[in-house]
Amino acid sequence: MLKELKGLTHEQMLLIPVGQSDNVIWNVGHLLCSLSRLTYGFSGHPLPIPDSYLGLFGKGTSAAEWDEPPDVEVVLELFKALPDEVEKDYRAGRFTEYKILELAPEHTVESVEEAVAFHCFHEGLHIGMIISLKQRMGLKVSG
Amino acid sequence: MANDTLYKIMRTTRGYLLKEISGLNVEQMLEVPKGAVNNVLWNFGHIVYAHDRITYGACGLESDVPASYAESFKGGTSPSDWEEPPSVDEVMGHIKKGNEKIYTDYAAGAFDNYNGFEMAPGYSIDRVEEAIQFNCLHEGVHLGIILALKRLIGVTA
């Protein structure tokens, strides 16, 4: 993901191509919210992100509906820092009490290990969407 | 990672992918829309090719994925390279077959002699478990691209 974000200007991260409702930073913020919920949230801890982020980036939200764009730098810094925090807290045993999450009728997440494994797939999905956004903007893709 | 978790994420990942096949005809799978560089079929074929290469391929094992898929679908290729489009039915057959065989082969120790390789500078895959986990991310990337392609060609989810 970081390879694909490298070199993008704030303008490019906020651009919503014609016919779409998302932009690059929405995809990044969405993953930040998702990983926070999948680990801290479903283990009964407060989310390590601003309260407003679920309204900006949560499932079903859209960059096209923002009254004001979020601070891109803040989103990026939180996104980059979160995996290390999750690992540190995992090793400290903070995620042992896990509430079962039904993501879809045929898909339940029953432990933080399953949650992190799912997150890798989910992050891949949004990397793919960012790749497509970059192609639409005529930008080079790292691949 | 425990085997159960690994198998579960493999099946789940492929399940999400299979949901996106529905509603696409052959023409739509072959269309390269304006603003894109490949098509849905290329992305599905690439998934089949990559999954095979980093599991069976890394152990020198044969599989039923055609050798021609390297030329049609490996990284850096595109539909513009094809003289003739590969068979949609064949590619989708491999996708739908999913990962079932790999479970039994794994349990039988087929991947014990894994030849690790460098996926990117500083990132190596040294065991089949790491390959399977990476594959879940990789399938996600191409599912994301497929979803974007479907939107560009006007197919609603």
Side-chain angles (χ1 to χ4, degrees):
Chain A
M1 173 65 94
L2 296 179
K3 274 171 64 179
E4 292 304 338
L5 297 177
K6 196 173 171 188
L8 291 180
T9 64
H10 284 195
E11 198 175 61
Q12 287 165 338
M13 291 205 194
L14 289 168
L15 190 143
I16 303 174
V18 172
Q20 294 190 216
S21 58
D22 64 327
N23 54 24
V24 170
I25 203 65
W26 182 90
N27 281 275
V28 174
H30 176 72
L31 289 168
L32 176 61
C33 286
S34 173
L35 181 59
S36 297
R37 289 189 69 227
L38 283 169
T39 51
Y40 295 90
F42 279 83
S43 300
H45 300 296
L47 302 188
I49 52 175
D51 292 340
S52 60
Y53 274 21
L54 288 181
L56 290 170
F57 304 115
K59 192 175 175 180
T61 63
S62 148
E65 291 169 3
W66 294 340
D67 290 330
E68 240 185 71
D71 185 323
V72 168
E73 278 309 312
V74 171
V75 177
L76 291 174
E77 285 309 309
L78 288 171
F79 177 79
K80 286 175 197 169
L82 188 59
D84 285 342
E85 283 175 32
V86 168
E87 182 177 356
K88 187 183 80 177
D89 284 331
Y90 173 78
R91 292 186 190 284
R94 286 197 76 201
F95 303 126
T96 46
E97 298 291 319
Y98 199 81
K99 183 176 155 191
I100 292 175
L101 161 65
E102 187 179 274
L103 276 172
E106 61 283 355
H107 180 204
T108 55
V109 175
E110 298 174 24
S111 68
V112 73
E113 289 81 7
E114 287 184 13
V116 170
F118 167 73
H119 177 77
C120 292
F121 165 71
H122 188 219
E123 185 149 327
L125 184 76
H126 287 279
I127 291 172
M129 292 181 170
I130 285 172
I131 286 174
S132 295
L133 281 164
K134 287 177 71 174
Q135 285 169 346
R136 286 207 66 193
M137 290 192 263
L139 298 172
K140 193 167 175 244
V141 168
S142 294
Chain B
M1 182 188 299
N3 293 347
D4 288 345
T5 301
L6 206 58
Y7 292 161
K8 186 172 176 180
I9 191 62
M10 281 173 64
R11 287 194 174 109
T12 304
T13 300
R14 193 52 66 91
Y16 281 115
L17 202 64
L18 286 169
K19 275 170 68 174
E20 293 308 322
I21 301 174
S22 61
L24 287 174
N25 59 39
V26 171
E27 200 174 77
Q28 290 164 332
M29 293 189 79
L30 293 174
E31 183 179 343
V32 179
K34 189 176 169 197
V37 301
N38 51 42
N39 56 27
V40 171
L41 182 68
W42 185 91
N43 280 277
F44 276 125
H46 179 70
I47 285 169
V48 171
Y49 165 76
H51 180 255
D52 184 65
R53 186 174 92 78
I54 67 175
T55 54
Y56 290 88
C59 297
L61 298 171
E62 300 229 338
S63 76
D64 61 358
V65 173
S68 60
Y69 278 22
E71 204 175 298
S72 300
F73 299 120
K74 79 175 184 188
T77 61
S78 93
S80 63
D81 302 323
W82 300 340
E83 285 178 12
E84 240 183 68
S87 161
V88 169
D89 283 346
E90 185 182 271
V91 171
M92 299 319 295
H94 284 291
I95 289 282
K96 286 170 189 167
K97 210 160 42 176
N99 306 307
E100 297 303 322
K101 186 171 181 302
I102 202 170
Y103 306 143
T104 47
D105 287 345
Y106 179 87
F111 303 106
D112 288 351
N113 295 317
Y114 191 87
N115 296 309
F117 60 95
E118 191 178 65
M119 179 64 75
Y123 175 45
S124 65
I125 291 186
D126 300 313
R127 303 180 299 139
V128 74
E129 291 84 357
E130 291 175 4
I132 290 168
Q133 179 64 76
F134 171 78
N135 191 63
C136 293
L137 169 81
H138 186 243
E139 290 200 12
V141 172
H142 288 282
L143 177 56
I145 294 173
I146 287 167
L147 290 172
L149 284 167
K150 283 178 79 171
R151 190 169 44 207
L152 285 173
I153 61 180
V155 176
T156 51

